Amino acid sequence: QSALTQPRSVSGSPGQSVTLSCTGTNSDIGGYNYVSWYQQYPGEAPKLLIYDVTKRPSGVPDRISGSKSGNTASLTISGLQVEDEADYYCCSFAGNYNFEVFGTGTKVTVL
Amino acid sequence: QITLKESGPTQVKPTQTLTLTCTFSGFSLSTIGMGVAWIRQPPGKALEWLALIYWDDDKRYRPSLRSRLTIAKDTSKNQVVLTLTNVDPVDTATYYCAHRRPAPYGGPFDYWGQGALVTVSS
């Protein structure tokens, strides 16, 4: 059960857009439309940002969006804000054996 | 309002068995579709899904830890218990329990507990 691959870090200036990638295989991301994204501040529990590839729970701003192409999912943060500086994890359903797999995590830095 | 809270030892010795309890409110694990998962995070590292139990007692485990993990529910107490046998220092992590949004497959983890840090050391 290999973790999904995410870039270690991404940075941007306030107001810019950043896109985080999450690469898997056709057994997880490529095989199902069940990708979710989580934001985690240091010392805190993760918070759900996106589920089912593109859906936002209530309370998550629409400058946060998700997409998928083939075996790669993406999270885009538009209008970057200081409070977006955090770690971000993707997660995908991976079938009835591996079930769930998380990504390696990306640290977003706001310059 | 859904809340979850993990409890258990903060330190265990190598080869011992770790038992963690997740006590939740705001939903019932006897309701169709409901599920509770355990997820851990070693210090400075990524999240790692461990196990999941559904309302119908269906259980799923991380394949690499299947032989060491057991998940169980006590619906009357609104609790889910995770046991991990034969622990090793590499099992040192913050352990989270999380509510899984009902879905046919791949429901997201929409509510999380605060986490419980467990250190494995002699």
Side-chain angles (χ1 to χ4, degrees), chain B residues 12-18 40 42 65 68 84-93 95 118-122:
Chain B
V12 291
K13 296 185 185 330
T15 76
Q16 289 185 337
T17 294
L18 170 65
R40 72 180 180 182
L65 294 173
R68 298 172 52 208
L84 178 64
T85 61
N86 192 26
V87 298
D88 180 271
V90 299
D91 296 312
T92 294
Y95 287 77
V118 179
T119 301
V120 180
S121 173
S122 54

Side-chain angles (χ1 to χ4, degrees), chain A:
Chain A
Q1 186 179 28
S2 297
L4 306 173
T5 301
Q6 297 182 246
R8 196 171 187 87
S9 63
V10 167
S11 62
S13 299
Q16 286 186 331
S17 292
V18 294
T19 297
L20 286 59
S21 63
C22 171
T23 302
T25 70
N26 53 18
S27 295
D28 37 64
I29 292 176
Y32 308 94
N33 288 321
Y34 299 122
V35 177
S36 52
W37 289 87
Y38 301 86
Q39 177 191 55
Q40 186 181 35
Y41 294 114
E44 295 188 10
K47 171 191 171 185
L48 177 66
L49 291 180
I50 293 286
Y51 67 101
D52 294 355
V53 180
T54 61
K55 298 176 182 176
R56 278 186 306 273
S58 61
V60 175
D62 59 6
R63 62 187 185 83
I64 305 286
S65 62
S67 62
K68 189 188 90 166
S69 177
N71 296 337
T72 298
S74 299
L75 178 77
T76 298
I77 306 173
S78 304
L80 199 62
Q81 300 179 3
V82 172
E83 56 261 38
D84 296 327
E85 186 161 294
D87 294 324
Y88 293 79
Y89 293 93
C90 57
C91 180
S92 175
F93 180 68
N96 285 329
Y97 182 70
N98 287 317
F99 218 64
E100 295 288 342
V101 59
F102 279 94
T104 51
T106 296
K107 180 175 180 58
V108 170
T109 301
V110 181
L111 303 171

Side-chain angles (χ1 to χ4, degrees), chain B residues 11-24:
Chain B
Q11 185 163 341
V12 291
K13 296 185 185 330
T15 76
Q16 289 185 337
T17 294
L18 170 65
T19 299
L20 293 167
T21 300
C22 175
T23 303
F24 57 86

Side-chain angles (χ1 to χ4, degrees), chain B residues 44-63:
Chain B
K45 296 188 177 182
L47 299 167
E48 187 176 81
W49 173 79
L50 297 178
L52 177 67
I53 190 165
Y54 284 108
W55 86 101
D56 60 356
D57 212 37
D58 184 17
K59 301 165 187 174
R60 306 289 172 149
Y61 295 102
R62 184 179 186 82

